[in-house]
Amino acid sequence: MNISKETKIALHKMVYQSNVITPKEIADVIGVSHNTILNYANPNMENRLPSLKAFEAMLSYTQNPISLKVWAHKLDFMLVPVDQAEGKNHQLGVLESLLGINVGSGSANKQVLSALEDGVMTPSEMDETDRILEEIEHKIQSLRKAMK
């Protein structure tokens, strides 16, 4: 399996666009040569990717979440920054649940609009709408649990 173009570009941005941190500093921290870091950041170098250990060290040092954002989007998630996240798991759970409800509401609106375009709602359209509504109900329950 190949690494996606988006992930390669994110790795490039992590190396070159992490505040005032230079590629040389990143290389020094993870214990590789400057050229190796430049190769990691080159989206055209298919066979020059960091190990998971090196990637984690780069992520921790640069504090640049660009790769995480790419992966979150690929999985239909959204990365939400939380200042000083320790002790705020409760607040983050509420936020995640609320965002899920909003996404579900948008999906329901889109589904109903699409189903009513021809003036007739078919059984399969009703089933899909019901499935979306059940997901929203589940997310409402998650919100209630997160608020306790």
Side-chain angles (χ1 to χ4, degrees):
M1 186 169 153
N2 291 326
I3 300 281
S4 70
K5 179 181 176 183
E6 294 84 5
T7 298
K8 290 176 190 175
I9 291 168
L11 187 57
H12 174 85
K13 288 180 179 180
M14 182 189 292
V15 170
Y16 286 104
Q17 298 175 6
S18 291
N19 296 325
V20 295
I21 300 170
T22 67
K24 176 76 172 117
E25 291 171 319
I26 296 170
D28 291 343
V29 166
I30 67 169
V32 298
S33 72
H34 183 237
N35 282 340
T36 298
I37 285 294
L38 298 180
N39 287 339
Y40 290 167
N42 184 342
N44 298 318
M45 303 235 8
E46 295 286 328
N47 298 323
R48 302 286 187 185
L49 296 171
S51 67
L52 186 55
K53 182 178 176 181
F55 174 79
E56 184 176 17
M58 292 167 63
L59 180 64
S60 294
Y61 182 67
T62 64
Q63 296 290 300
N64 187 336
I66 187 72
S67 295
L68 297 179
K69 287 180 182 178
V70 167
W71 294 340
H73 290 170
K74 284 183 168 294
L75 298 172
D76 294 328
F77 286 97
M78 178 175 51
L79 197 61
V80 179
V82 177
D83 292 335
Q84 302 167 344
E86 269 188 55
K88 293 190 177 181
N89 293 337
H90 170 76
Q91 292 173 355
L92 186 55
V94 170
L95 179 62
E96 289 171 334
S97 297
L98 188 57
L99 289 172
I101 292 169
N102 288 335
V103 168
S105 177
S107 295
N109 288 334
K110 181 179 177 184
Q111 171 62 25
V112 170
L113 180 64
S114 174
L116 294 177
E117 279 182 336
D118 61 0
V120 177
M121 187 175 269
T122 66
S124 65
E125 290 171 330
M126 287 171 36
D127 288 344
E128 178 61 16
T129 303
D130 189 53
R131 184 192 65 75
I132 293 170
L133 293 175
E134 285 178 8
E135 285 180 13
I136 293 171
E137 288 171 353
H138 176 72
K139 290 173 183 175
I140 290 170
Q141 292 301 318
S142 295
L143 175 60
R144 285 189 175 124
K145 286 179 186 174
M147 291 176 58
K148 292 182 180 179

